[in-house]
Amino acid sequence: MSNVLKDLTIDTFEDAIAVGVKPQAILAMFRKTGKEMDEWCGENYGIASFHTVWDMVRQACYVEFMKCVKDLGENGNPSALKIISDAINEHNEADSIVKVVFENNLKEETDEDK
């Protein structure tokens, strides 16, 4: 299955946050120190805290995500919903393994049990 995010371009600070890039990786991506990013956030957002701005932009992305989920759900597209949900929530297939155990020595149910 192809990945809908493979052609995504990450050009801006907001794009990086929107696709789930972690704060430390954003610093590396834009070649900034925490102090430099705090200053940039102060100049551009009026909030001199990179982590606060990261949290605020991330929350705005979740709001947009929920709008998309609603629209896709109303249009009956469960595959697209799963792709977007997995991407934004950092789904790891290895984390979703479920162990199922079948017990076969159970006593037969009687009328009294029912």
Side-chain angles (χ1 to χ4, degrees):
M1 173 164 79
S2 68
N3 185 340
V4 296
L5 301 177
K6 74 177 173 131
D7 296 324
L8 182 67
T9 304
I10 303 172
D11 294 326
T12 68
F13 173 75
E14 293 81 4
D15 291 343
I17 294 171
V19 298
V21 178
K22 300 289 184 214
Q24 279 304 111
I26 289 175
L27 293 176
M29 178 184 226
F30 293 102
R31 295 177 175 83
K32 300 288 182 192
T33 65
K35 183 179 180 195
E36 290 171 329
M37 193 60 87
D38 285 342
E39 290 170 2
W40 184 87
C41 287
E43 292 168 10
N44 290 279
Y45 285 90
I47 300 168
S49 168
F50 164 53
H51 289 286
T52 299
V53 171
W54 188 92
D55 286 339
M56 290 172 59
V57 173
R58 187 72 174 158
Q59 183 58 40
C61 291
Y62 275 113
V63 169
E64 288 302 313
F65 167 71
M66 293 309 295
K67 288 178 187 175
C68 290
V69 168
K70 179 180 179 285
D71 291 344
L72 288 169
E74 287 174 352
N75 291 319
N77 192 330
S79 297
L81 286 173
K82 181 167 178 9
I83 291 167
I84 292 170
S85 179
D86 288 353
I88 203 165
N89 292 307
E90 302 167 13
H91 176 73
N92 182 348
E93 206 168 295
D95 293 339
S96 65
I97 295 172
V98 176
K99 182 179 178 182
V100 178
V101 177
F102 293 95
E103 290 285 336
N104 60 2
N105 333 7
L106 300 174
K107 68 176 189 166
E108 197 168 317
E109 187 177 59
T110 65
D111 288 334
E112 187 177 300
D113 294 330
K114 294 178 185 177

